[in-house]
Amino acid sequence: MIEHLYIHIPFCPNICPYCAFYKESAGRERVETFLEALLVEASSWADRLRPKTIFFGGGTPSALSIPQFEKLLGGLHERLDLSSLEEWTIEMNPATVATDKATLLRHSGINRVSMGVQSWDDSVLRSLGRTHDAAKAEESFHILRDAGFDNLSIDLIFGVPGQSLDSWRSTLDRSLRLAPEHLSAYGLTYEEDTEFFRKLGCGEMSPDEGLEADQFELTAGMLGAFGFHQYEVSNYSLTGRESRHNMAYWTGRDYLGLGPSAFSTVAGRRWRNIRETGIYSESTLSGKTAVDFEEEVTPELLTREKAAFGIRTLHGLPLDDSDKWEKELLDMQAEGLVTLIADRWILTPRGRLLADTVAEIFV
Ligand SMILES: C[S@@+](CC[C@H](N)C(=O)[O-])C[C@H]1O[C@@H](n2cnc3c(N)ncnc32)[C@H](O)[C@@H]1O
Ligand code: SF4
């Protein structure tokens, strides 16, 4: 039985200039057809699925209207065995949070929200092209709490040009005052095919690596003082509030992805669905395959991926699984990037800052 289900909802009311996730603007008819296709795809897996975790990601899943949510959530409840469900997360953009929607989601079994606040500084939000301000994000957080969500996560971005260390400190401080259970703090990445990438290329934007390193260090320090442990390079949680869904990815568990552009890894096969929403919907509804890429996940590839993800987590990489990278790990130990604690390789604080570079040796 597959225990982890990802559902990609590719619509956003507004497209942010730094974001490379697969998304498009929502048109009503397109959304209706997409929902029908998604439910057909879900039905086709129903007898192999008993999810412990579900993750609605995007795009902006919270951009769906209440009737659209009723159709989607009702349809999933009808088709899937949800009796083993432990964690059901939805990503929300603060601009799309309202009381009636939050209440419907909570009553339908969703028990965790990851909200894209990004910053509590309005000038940084404008630089990021966000449509909400800090006041709306704070109101949305309270709406979610009042609707009964007791597992809330906030997404933040640091390393934004023009974002001072003081601005980032205030963002961490205001996040902590709201007392979420989980925080994700991502360093801004310049993703290909985004407006920010183009601006980086022509010198209109330039990262300040020293400042970004200071912001990263401040994050672990401030959040640590409030009981948040950094269980993965970009993720901090109170004890027991780690994202179970993401931990399943990082520990190499099988998962099914539904919707356009979603990846799945099941029983040694990995595949990706067609990216374009219209073609995904049409193929699925006409009984054709929605898959546009497939590969075998060999034991060798799985070991590499588990090592690359494992080293980014608090648990690190077990010594027993690290033989083939012994030389590289010893070199990185000499450079102060990794350290051996008990029988596990763990990132040092400097290694956490350069986690992507460290993880590259495994893949
Ligand atoms: C799918 S979005 C979250 C939900 C919703 N769409 C929103 O933006 O509020 C996932 C998260 O990825 C992060 N993210 C996206 N693009 C990023 C980038 N280029 N650099 C760093 N973080 C990024 C943001 O923090 C964002 O909240
Ligand atoms: S960051 Fe969120 S709202 Fe912005 S474009 Fe990406 S998925 Fe859409």
Side-chain angles (χ1 to χ4, degrees), residues 12 18-21 58-60 91-94 116 118 130 155-157 186-189 191:
C12 290
Y18 54 86
C19 175
F21 287 99
T60 302
E91 286 186 332
M92 297 186 89
N93 179 319
Q118 321 307 357
R130 302 290 288 182
D155 283 348
L156 300 172
I157 300 184
Y186 302 108
L188 178 68
T189 50
E191 306 279 352

Side-chain angles (χ1 to χ4, degrees), residues 315 317-320 322 333 339-346:
H315 306 293
L317 171 64
L319 190 59
D320 287 348
S322 70
Q333 186 179 34
T339 179
L340 197 55
I341 296 180
D343 57 352
R344 286 170 175 272
W345 288 104
I346 310 278

